[in-house]
Structure formats: structure tokens, C-alpha cells
Amino acid sequence: MTMYGTSIQIAHPESQYINGQWSPACGGSAYALTDPSTEEQLDGFAMGGVSDAEAAIIAARAAFDHGPWPTMDPRERGRLIGALTELLEARRGELEEAWTVQTGALPSMRSRAVNNGLGHLARAADQAAKFEFERRVVSAVGEAVIRREPVGVVTVISSWNGTLLQTASKIGPALAAGCCVIVKPARSTPMEAKIIAECADKVGFPPGVINVVLLASEGGDRLVTDARVDKVAFTGSTQVGRHIASTCGDRIARYSLELGGKSAGIVLDDADIFTVGKIMARTITALSGQLCATLSRVIVSQEKHDALVDAITQEMAVIRVGSAYDAATEMGPMALHKQLQSVERHVSRALEEGCTLAFGGARPKLPEKGYFFQPTLLTNVSEDSAIAQEEIFGPVLVVIKARDEEHAISIANNSAYGLHGSVFTNDKTRALEVARRIRTGSFAQNGMKLDFALPFGGYKQSGVGREGGEEALVGYLETKTILLDF
């Protein structure tokens, strides 16, 4: 048992969980995580390779093809998923702290994040018990049986900014459907997946139903390319998502992708500019801007532009940047040093291309250690510029002028992404009218609002498929039509 932080106990940080057993990573290399607030090294983890990927595929394939899980009474599957949820709830404190030590998430965000993750599992347990997996209908040629059957073996790949939420949103419906899963967390955030594996082991899932492996790139790629894997469920960058889609397309495998975003907040003229400024400043600095659905563009009329810039600047100026362990901190670090460097490059290029820096734009002088960047506001931004089109994944907000409401809607839709968006107005009817015209998977009135019990996903390059709601479960099912004699 290895202790991390003040409460996190990981029994097998160096091992893989395959076929119901813990075993050392094959040919793996030891490495350490880095706490982004302090740059402290968290030792003891090991990356596996292709051999571990192969073992996990064999285990999951055997569990699906020959084990009891796919044909088990769905209510019993639901009971086991519910038991897993309860054991994870008992380790809530560890899950919360793990998010902080790995990504710099503030304590104020942690409880809701764990609620969202465990909520996916709790709803999956309920769906397993209540969903109609088989129904009979009368057809023109005989009695018909419409069956929903599990898609098979599923590779689950999560990003580093929200491992629990992203993993639970996939394994919950996959297990409820009767699939067997291979979970591969990001290299920098394996703790939640390790805890899930420990809890699954205690629950007593049949061997091979849940496998958790920490893999280097070649091993991870095997989980995508291998024909014995029926579906890949991925959260991460659009670049990697494009590779997964292409690879799965070549072998006609199923896939779901939750990718990037460049979400816009449209400010209508009846909105209170001071309130909008506070909301936008606080939204772009939540988790240091490392949320795929964050509002990173704000579109406002030329008449209200200067007032909004002033309001956002005033709010950014009072946001305290610092360690996630300081109770006074309102924005923590970037999760990774390479992400900090990426944000710096994006801002530098924007300034070279003629954008105006209204606030921030650099690392703060304090704290001296950690991966910190100031809340940043850029103006004089063209809607077609790189800073307005590319996902920055940092606390960088751009303001874009619009001639009128029609122009604002056009600017909001001028994006390769389509994940989320918002309109600021006190008129619910106008908000709905605007929402119907924006090409995004979700949209909200007066700020970034998400309910993970509802379908979540993106249009365009923001992804394929949906997580949350019944739509998530259906994504792990195949439909079979059986025709019987009258």
C-alpha cells in the first residue's frame, strides 16, 4: 500500500489489473507523477507495453465470449454496478484529493466532480435494471423480436483533466449493456482508475469484465487497432480522436469520441454587462480553463464591447492565482508543464498576429514553483484568427465584436467545433431561438451549464456519440431483429 497526499492509498501503483488479478507491468518502466501546484514527484507508478495490452484484450475477449457477464440478468449486472458505486463513494475523500494532486483542481470543485462521476455509475445501475433489452412486435412476415445486445469488448480511454468523470461515463453504460471493458487512463492521472480497479476487485465482477492498464503509446495503440476490440470510447484531443476514428473506420469498428471545444458566449443587448463580465472571467478560470466545454470566446456588439472588456478585466484582476492547497486560491495551476508551455505559445502567437492583450498573458511572479498562468483576456481578435479557432485549453478568453445578433450567431457557428455554448439574455424565448440556431451538442442560457444526467457530446469536430442519459447506454448496444413464424 502506497500513500499519496494525505489520504490516497493505492495498493498496486506499479501493477496492472487484468483478468481479476494484479500483476507487475510487463517490461514497464517506473515513472513519477508531478503535483502541478508544488512540482513534487509522486513515485511508484509503472507503464506497461504491448504485452499488457495483449493480456487485457485476451481477458476481456474471453470474459465476453465465454463468461457469464453478457448473458447475466441485467438486474444482477445493475446490482454489481451499484455495489461498485457504493465502494467508490466510501473512498470519496481519496478520489477528491487525487484530482487535486494530479491536476491542481481546487477543493471547491471536487465534491461536485465526484458526484458527477459516481452519478454516471448510479444511473447505469438503474438503467441495467429498467431498460427494455428485448421486446416483441408483430411484423408483416411473422412475430418479431427486437433485441439490444452488448457491442462486445470496449477500450475506454480518458484524458487527464477529469479521469473519474470520463471513465465512469463510459464504463457505467458499457457494463450495464453487458460489455467487458479495458480502461486506459492518461499517464499523468492514473489514480482514479487504480481505485476503480481496487473497488471492482472487492465487488467480485467476473474475471476479465473490468481490466485497468497503464500503457505507453504502443500498448495504447494496440487497444485501438486490434480486431478483438469491438468499440473504442475516447475522451481527449481532436487530433487523437481523428486517429482513432480513422483506425476504427478501417476495420469498421464502433467508436465514440468526446473531443475539444471552442465554445462561444453570445451577449445580447439586454444582458447586464457587469454580470456577464463576472461570469465569463470565472468560467474561463475554472480548472484553469482546462475544461472542454468552457466558454473561451465571447461575442458582443460593438456598442457594448468596451464595457464588457472593462468588466471582465476587473473580475480577472481580483482572481487569486495560487496553489490548490491554499484556501484563498481561486485559480490553481495548469495540470501539466507542457500544457503551460502550450498556452504561452498560443498567447505569444496571438500577440504577434495583432491581438491586443487586455489582461494577463504571462506566468505570475508567485508562486515560484508550480505550473501557473495568469487569467488572460485578448481583444482586437478576428473571428478567423488562430486564437479564435483553436482550442487553447487554458485560462485564455477572447472578445469578438459583432455587428448585430445575426452576425453574432454566424461568428459562434464559425468553428470546427460544436460542443457547448451560451447566450446571455434575460429573455427565455430569445435564448431558445438563438439556441436552435447554434450548431452545438449543448447550449445554455446565461453561462456554462451542464447536467451530466442528460446527453452530452458534440457536433462537428467536438465528437461522435453521446454520454449521459439513455443515449449513452444505446451507444454500447447493437440492435438485432429476429423473425419467427406466426
Side-chain angles (χ1 to χ4, degrees), residues 224 240-251 253 255 257 259 464:
V224 174
V240 176
R242 187 178 291 112
H243 167 70
I244 289 172
S246 175
T247 302
C248 289
D250 282 344
R251 60 186 187 86
Y255 61 89
L257 308 171
L259 307 176
V464 176

Side-chain angles (χ1 to χ4, degrees), residues 162-192:
T163 299
L164 176 64
L165 174 69
Q166 296 163 15
T167 303
S169 68
K170 298 168 180 59
I171 69 169
L175 293 171
C179 299
C180 298
V181 299
I182 305 169
V183 177
K184 190 195 87 65
R187 171 190 175 96
S188 60
T189 54
M191 290 184 178
E192 295 93 337

Side-chain angles (χ1 to χ4, degrees), residues 52-66:
D52 289 314
E54 174 70 13
I57 293 170
I58 290 172
R61 191 76 256 170
F64 185 78
D65 292 339
H66 308 297

Side-chain angles (χ1 to χ4, degrees), residues 28 307 377 477:
L377 181 65
L477 295 168

Side-chain angles (χ1 to χ4, degrees), residues 16-23 52 54-64 67 180-182 197 201 205-213:
Q16 316 279 37
Y17 185 69
I18 300 173
N19 205 33
Q21 296 181 331
W22 291 97
S23 57
D52 289 314
E54 174 70 13
I57 293 170
I58 290 172
R61 191 76 256 170
F64 185 78
C180 298
V181 299
I182 305 169
D201 194 54
F205 283 85
V209 171
I210 298 177
N211 307 275
V212 176
V213 288

Side-chain angles (χ1 to χ4, degrees), residues 123-274:
R123 287 187 294 273
D126 187 61
Q127 286 175 332
K130 297 178 180 178
F131 187 79
E132 189 176 29
F133 288 93
E134 183 173 300
R135 59 189 175 90
R136 292 176 178 261
V137 298
V138 176
S139 80
V141 297
E143 183 182 357
V145 178
I146 310 300
R147 280 180 54 81
R148 296 296 190 97
E149 299 180 344
V151 71
V153 172
V154 179
T155 290
V156 171
I157 305 175
S158 61
S159 184
W160 44 261
N161 62 321
T163 299
L164 176 64
L165 174 69
Q166 296 163 15
T167 303
S169 68
K170 298 168 180 59
I171 69 169
L175 293 171
C179 299
C180 298
V181 299
I182 305 169
V183 177
K184 190 195 87 65
R187 171 190 175 96
S188 60
T189 54
M191 290 184 178
E192 295 93 337
K194 297 279 188 183
I195 293 172
I196 288 172
E198 290 176 19
C199 291
D201 194 54
K202 281 190 176 182
V203 168
F205 283 85
V209 171
I210 298 177
N211 307 275
V212 176
V213 288
L214 191 55
L215 301 173
S217 57
E218 288 185 3
D221 207 45
R222 173 65 69 87
L223 297 183
V224 174
T225 60
D226 198 290
R228 292 167 293 179
V229 173
D230 299 292
K231 177 175 177 174
V232 178
F234 171 76
T235 294
S237 71
T238 297
Q239 179 183 5
V240 176
R242 187 178 291 112
H243 167 70
I244 289 172
S246 175
T247 302
C248 289
D250 282 344
R251 60 186 187 86
I252 320 297
R254 278 59 177 152
Y255 61 89
S256 56
L257 308 171
E258 199 277 282
L259 307 176
K262 193 69 180 180
S263 304
I266 299 172
V267 184
L268 300 189
D269 284 345
D270 71 315
D272 179 76
I273 292 298
F274 178 76

Side-chain angles (χ1 to χ4, degrees), residues 3 27 65-66 72 105 109 190 201 233 267 282 289 324 352 371 382 453 458:
M3 175 74 78
D65 292 339
H66 308 297
M72 183 182 291
M109 302 179 67
D201 194 54
V267 184
R282 294 290 170 173
E352 290 172 0
Y371 307 144
S382 164

